[in-house]
Amino acid sequence: GDRTWLNTISTVWEDSNGALALANRPMPHLTPRSKHIRVKYHWFCSWIDEVTACVEPIDSASQKADILTKSLGRIKFPAKRHMLMGW
């Protein structure tokens, strides 16, 4: 099959400073509060180490994924929907 997608770098836009710190931290330095995410963390970091993904900061107001991960009110929901879908 076509594997041209293997040569692309995906950008993960993150608005959480804690998540940014974990993503850019060397592998063995998990904190006691983050031990519960060990498996997902190592899997995700393996993609960053192979340079197939990078994590970049984004302002919370510009984070399109919030519509999929948070309960939004009557004002924020239409704004996020417009950002994501254009209507």
Side-chain angles (χ1 to χ4, degrees), residues 27-28 30-31 34-43:
M27 291 287 275
L30 288 175
T31 66
S34 62
K35 283 176 67 174
H36 67 284
I37 61 168
R38 183 176 306 273
V39 173
K40 291 179 183 178
Y41 173 78
H42 286 290
W43 177 83

Side-chain angles (χ1 to χ4, degrees), residues 3-24:
R3 294 186 176 219
T4 55
W5 61 272
L6 290 173
N7 296 327
T8 61
I9 297 175
S10 298
T11 302
V12 177
W13 299 101
E14 184 56 60
D15 62 351
S16 166
N17 289 333
L20 282 166
L22 278 175
N24 295 316

Side-chain angles (χ1 to χ4, degrees), residues 21 29 62:
H29 292 91
S62 302

